[in-house]
């Protein structure tokens, strides 16, 4: 695997692959890679011939009180994992390379509708930062296909809408969430949890599964169900940011008639913010 740090060198390497007739796959990341990221690369390899990954901790998508400074930067270990996974090219730019005019002067991409509510409500500007950097990365790499994790369900919806609205000729693939054996969704932020918190964190996915089962059995009193589940999480010492049930495709609030549903959850475990979600269909 080759690592490049500038847009110039990235473009040269991608152009060479294209001249050789290769289909370009892309996996954007913020580094500190785990098995979930490796699964993204595996999927990209199935759908392309030449996989490009990026590692960039994007300051534009972090709020002023968020974890930008302490976000783990583990380039050497990440390079090894990407290489072993069969990634051909890593783009690891500096902030100056990505935002040469400074962030305040950066043209922004704002995606209406799906960016609002959920994480968009508690992290103002977050999805604008994500859409802007992903759009820039797409223009730099010009991939045929890009793979994103379904763990960031709202982010995936934002990117799909941006790609549609801006007519970007890129196929977007959603990769199912990779979980630890105890059910916890893999995330770089799990590394912030202490032993006790890590031991209790699988309760999030268990709760989502129980809720989904209850709804599949025919319960439709969503406000009552969600309120009860939130109390349970709070009783377990968690601070609930949101727990909601939405329509899978639009992310609009689910009505009793909707059958393609997604439960979305964000909590604080101490100072660590964890998200998870569960999509399911309800026949009854
Ligand atoms: O999901 C992430 O890691 C980031 O939000 C992304 C898509 C790489 C943009 O910075």
């Amino acid at each position: 695997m080759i690592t490049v740090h500038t847009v110039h060198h990235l473009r040269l390497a991608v152009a060479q692959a294209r001249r050789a007739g290769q289909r370009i796959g892309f996996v954007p990341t913020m580094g500190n890679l785990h098995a979930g990221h490796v699964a993204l690369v595996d999927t990209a390899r199935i759908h392309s011939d030449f996989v490009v990954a990026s590692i960039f901790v994007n300051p534009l998508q972090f709020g002023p009180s968020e974890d930008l400074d302490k976000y783990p930067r583990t380039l050497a270990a990440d390079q090894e994992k990407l290489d072993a996974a069969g990634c051909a090219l890593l783009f690891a730019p500096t902030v100056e390379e990505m935002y040469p005019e400074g962030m305040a002067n950066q043209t922004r991409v704002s995606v209406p509708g799906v960016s609002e509510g959920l994480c968009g409500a508690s992290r103002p500007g977050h999805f604008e930062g994500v859409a802007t950097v992903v759009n820039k990365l797409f223009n730099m790499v010009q991939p045929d296909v890009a793979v994103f994790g379904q763990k960031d369900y709202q982010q995936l919806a934002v990117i799909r809408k941006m790609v549609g609205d801006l007519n970007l000729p890129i196929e977007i693939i959603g990769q199912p969430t990779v979980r630890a054996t105890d059910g916890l969704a893999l995330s770089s932020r799990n590394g912030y949890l202490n032993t006790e918190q890590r031991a209790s964190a699988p309760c999030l996915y268990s709760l989502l599964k129980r809720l989904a089962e209850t709804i599949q059995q025919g319960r439709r009193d969503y406000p009552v169900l969600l309120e009860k589940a939130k109390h349970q999480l709070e009783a377990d010492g968690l601070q609930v940011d949101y727990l909601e049930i939405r329509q899978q495709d639009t992310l609009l609030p689910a009505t009793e008639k909707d059958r393609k549903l997604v439960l979305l959850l964000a909590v604080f475990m101490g100072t660590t913010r964890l998200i998870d979600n569960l999509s399911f269909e309800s026949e009854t």
Side-chain angles (χ1 to χ4, degrees):
M1 185 187 71
I2 301 169
T3 300
V4 293
H5 301 283
T6 65
V7 179
H8 175 70
H9 288 111
L10 168 71
R11 284 197 200 283
L12 285 179
V14 174
Q16 200 177 9
R18 245 197 218 295
R19 271 199 305 277
Q22 292 186 306
R23 188 173 148 84
I24 312 296
F26 181 42
V27 176
T29 82
M30 298 205 300
N32 194 235
L33 306 181
H34 49 64
H37 297 105
V38 172
L40 301 178
V41 175
D42 290 343
T43 299
R45 283 182 65 203
I46 293 170
H47 293 270
S48 67
D49 312 303
F50 184 89
V51 175
V52 182
S54 64
I55 293 182
F56 178 61
V57 183
N58 174 34
L60 211 59
Q61 70 187 71
F62 285 78
S65 59
E66 291 184 353
D67 56 343
L68 173 64
D69 292 336
K70 75 165 181 174
Y71 200 87
R73 279 128 171 120
T74 52
L75 185 61
D78 293 347
Q79 280 170 314
E80 271 177 35
K81 286 179 190 155
L82 288 171
D83 197 16
C87 176
L89 178 66
L90 168 63
F91 177 49
T94 60
V95 173
E96 292 70 32
E97 183 70 10
M98 288 301 287
Y99 301 114
E101 308 274 313
M103 284 189 290
N105 273 323
Q106 171 63 51
T107 300
R108 313 271 178 130
V109 179
S110 131
V111 180
V114 287
S115 292
E116 288 147 29
L118 306 167
C119 288
S122 28
R123 304 185 67 188
H126 170 67
F127 287 119
E128 194 177 83
V130 170
T132 301
V133 83
V134 171
N135 203 295
K136 282 169 71 79
L137 290 166
F138 280 173
N139 289 325
M140 292 166 182
V141 177
Q142 298 194 292
D144 298 288
V145 54
V147 189
F148 292 84
Q150 285 172 1
K151 180 184 162 263
D152 296 297
Y153 195 95
Q154 191 177 12
Q155 167 172 282
L156 182 57
V158 167
I159 285 157
R160 284 193 196 284
K161 180 163 166 61
M162 174 184 80
V163 164
D165 286 357
L166 300 180
N167 304 89
L168 304 181
I170 303 170
E171 183 191 347
I172 302 296
I173 297 179
Q175 172 74 35
T177 303
V178 178
R179 299 181 180 279
T181 44
D182 60 11
L184 179 64
L186 297 192
S187 162
S188 300
R189 292 189 168 101
N190 293 349
Y192 300 149
L193 301 174
N194 64 31
T195 315
E196 200 183 316
Q197 290 169 330
R198 175 60 190 83
S200 75
C203 72
L204 302 179
Y205 186 50
S206 314
L207 179 111
L208 291 178
K209 282 195 295 191
R210 276 202 308 280
L211 263 175
E213 272 165 28
T214 309
I215 293 164
Q216 279 170 323
Q217 282 157 11
R219 286 277 297 266
R220 289 289 176 272
D221 49 347
Y222 299 143
V224 177
L225 287 176
L226 296 175
E227 217 37 55
K228 200 173 144 209
K230 279 186 210 169
H231 280 133
Q232 202 174 316
L233 289 167
E234 277 158 8
D236 288 340
L238 298 164
Q239 192 196 321
V240 181
D241 183 357
Y242 62 75
L243 172 59
E244 297 204 25
I245 181 153
R246 299 280 179 116
Q247 299 172 15
Q248 272 178 28
D249 298 333
T250 59
L251 276 182
L252 291 170
T255 68
E256 285 183 19
K257 292 199 181 83
D258 295 312
R259 292 294 173 263
K260 288 176 78 181
L261 303 167
V262 56
L263 284 161
L264 299 126
L265 168 72
V267 299
F268 282 94
M269 204 168 233
T271 53
T272 304
R273 188 170 182 278
L274 297 178
I275 60 172
D276 202 353
N277 65 79
L278 183 59
S279 302
F280 61 100
E281 295 202 17
S282 179
E283 298 304 329
T284 48

